[in-house]
Amino acid sequence: MRVTRRIAICAPSTPFTREDAARVTALANAEYPELELAFHEQCFASEGHFAGEDALRRTAFVECANDPLFDAVWFVRGGYGANRIAMDALPELGAAAYDKQYLGYSDGGTLLGLLYRAGIGRQIHAPMPVDLRRPGGEAAVLRTLGWLSGNRTGLEPSLTDRTPAVAFNLMTLAMLCGTPLMPELSGHVVMVEEVAEYHYAVDRLLFHVTSSLALTGVAGLRLGRVSQIPENDRLFGCDAEDMARHWCARTGIAYLGQADIGHDIDNKIVPFGLA
């Protein structure tokens, strides 16, 4: 007998559209009929930059997390806003929240980090419904749908069952450092990626992250793709990998090479902890 897995989808940051939700649902129905996607109505709310005011976004996330009928909570897209609801949502999470997977990346990493710190559920860096908007984005969305159906071929290839790992957008990780949302990462391989930041901003972020006490004792750092870099009025003089090597060397963090993650359709899946 086919077992249906129910996936709640909410928007802790910015809004989605009903048209795109219908496309994602149709793709899931065609390729993974054992999955039942449920877009929370809050995904389509709009309040300035956000998918509804803070209280609405927090309530939607808590409802999805606390509903025992759902097996996972999938963040519909990133942007900005999850940090405004994270700490207030935490004490509202009940027993059912501990039995779920939480999936997303970019600004969604804010909630993934907090939940990992609190030991609530399983956190998964993974493509989101919004990736369907990218050319060829069906492949990214199918990677997450496959994971939710038990397919492990979409895992980031450097993962092992010996060393725990996490994956974050670099800006998101930098903003978590030094806050109550930052998880303990000693012994972890830390993977980072970035999008739409100037070279000098990437260098500044790598300085901040590698110098932070939050990365003390990590097993090493891997650099994902740094894409859509704006053109500055002068060349920076080195690329993102040079920067990563520089700051890792300065701070005594092992640079472990590249990671197959990024704001693109090839973004691979990274379960927090042991793969």
Side-chain angles (χ1 to χ4, degrees), residues 18-218:
R18 296 185 189 277
E19 294 75 17
D20 286 333
R23 292 175 62 207
V24 173
T25 299
L27 183 64
N29 289 343
E31 301 293 335
Y32 292 99
E34 67 274 21
L35 298 179
E36 180 182 323
L37 305 187
F39 284 84
H40 195 289
E41 186 66 21
Q42 172 269 328
C43 290
F44 315 117
S46 180
E47 182 77 21
H49 175 85
F50 307 105
E53 61 185 12
D54 291 351
L56 178 64
R57 300 197 319 282
R58 184 190 74 246
T59 298
F61 167 67
V62 170
E63 286 177 355
C64 291
N66 284 345
D67 191 331
L69 296 180
F70 290 116
D71 300 289
V73 178
W74 197 10
F75 305 140
V76 78
R77 62 176 300 182
Y80 171 72
N83 62 309
R84 295 172 62 101
I85 69 171
M87 290 304 298
D88 290 337
L90 187 63
E92 299 180 16
L93 298 179
Y98 285 76
D99 295 328
K100 289 182 174 59
Q101 295 186 55
Y102 298 87
L103 304 99
Y105 73 105
S106 192
D107 193 54
T110 302
L111 282 170
L112 298 183
L114 176 63
L115 294 169
Y116 193 52
R117 174 183 176 129
I120 297 175
R122 186 81 193 273
Q123 298 72 41
I124 315 291
H125 166 102
M128 298 179 290
V130 72
D131 286 306
L132 192 70
R133 295 177 178 175
R134 305 182 191 275
E138 292 86 354
V141 175
L142 286 171
R143 191 173 301 121
T144 300
L145 293 174
W147 168 271
L148 289 166
S149 294
N151 187 329
R152 298 298 180 255
T153 59
L155 284 169
E156 201 283 332
S158 70
L159 294 170
T160 75
D161 58 1
R162 299 181 302 277
T163 306
V166 294
F168 287 100
N169 171 257
L170 181 57
M171 175 68 80
T172 301
L173 180 60
M175 295 302 101
L176 292 179
C177 289
T179 75
L181 286 71
M182 182 68 192
E184 166 59 46
L185 297 181
S186 60
H188 288 65
V189 172
V190 179
M191 304 182 189
V192 294
E193 53 81 25
E194 191 51 83
V195 65
E197 295 287 350
Y198 286 101
H199 270 123
Y200 66 79
V202 175
D203 192 68
R204 180 189 294 147
L205 291 168
L206 285 166
F207 152 70
H208 176 69
V209 165
T210 57
S211 302
S212 169
L213 292 177
L215 264 63
T216 300
V218 298

